[in-house]
Amino acid sequence: MTEVIAVIGAGSIGQAIARRVSAGKHVCLADLHDENADAAAEVMRNAGFEVMTAATDVSSRESVSRAGRDSRQLRRRHRRHSRRSVSPSQASPATILSVDLYGTALVLEEFGNVIARGGAGVVIASQSGHRLRRSSPLSRTPRWRPPQRTNS
């Protein structure tokens, strides 16, 4: 039975993950935009990978369920799934919460039903050093500071 690696997010990080962990496996490459998934799949196919694509909006339960059904139709064992997040330099706070929090929960719930014993779900979160406007609710979030070392 061939293993399936589901990677949601066909950007540079998603492609790097897929290429690194997918040798000899079938890749289910999903992205919000068909053209991104198709372009990444073409590059990977040219490099010898077996790839299918799925247009997936991780903030939509229906879309994530459809991606899970599509990948299950491969009738192969799922081993891993990776999902990339959006950062403040890419999206509004509402979109970040919708994609990073809700979307991650949806993907883990759906693909958790098909990941084989010994498989894993991996979430990659990218956050840039984007400065928030003072009016942003996130600008009022206290920053974490490491504990102070004492010489005792």
Side-chain angles (χ1 to χ4, degrees), residues 14-26:
Q15 288 179 56
I17 291 168
R19 292 174 71 92
R20 178 71 176 158
V21 301
S22 300
K25 299 168 181 72
H26 188 100

Side-chain angles (χ1 to χ4, degrees), residues 36-150:
N36 291 350
D38 292 340
E42 185 64 26
V43 169
M44 291 188 68
R45 284 186 194 108
N46 289 338
F49 291 91
E50 184 180 356
V51 184
M52 71 169 278
T53 61
T56 306
D57 176 358
V58 294
S59 65
S60 162
R61 181 175 291 278
E62 180 182 326
S63 182
V64 172
S65 293
R66 187 174 45 252
R69 281 192 309 272
D70 289 349
S71 64
R72 268 193 299 271
Q73 288 176 356
L74 294 171
R75 296 206 169 121
R76 299 172 180 175
R77 254 183 338 160
H78 282 72
R79 296 293 291 182
R80 283 184 195 94
H81 126 257
S82 300
R83 196 189 81 64
R84 190 184 161 288
S85 63
V86 293
S87 72
S89 65
Q90 299 170 311
S92 69
T95 300
I96 292 169
L97 291 174
S98 179
V99 171
D100 292 2
L101 219 51
Y102 182 66
T104 297
L106 289 177
V107 170
L108 290 175
E109 180 181 324
E110 182 64 37
F111 285 88
N113 296 322
V114 297
I115 293 176
R117 184 174 190 84
V122 178
V123 176
I124 307 297
S126 73
Q127 296 296 316
S128 69
H130 180 72
R131 290 184 168 262
L132 297 171
R133 294 184 309 268
R134 289 185 191 263
S135 61
S136 168
L138 294 178
S139 68
R140 293 185 289 278
T141 304
R143 291 186 180 205
W144 180 84
R145 299 197 193 290
Q148 297 295 318
R149 293 186 157 250
T150 59

Side-chain angles (χ1 to χ4, degrees), residues 23-36:
K25 299 168 181 72
H26 188 100
V27 179
C28 176
L29 189 58
D31 197 271
L32 176 60
H33 305 288
D34 281 328
E35 59 275 5
N36 291 350

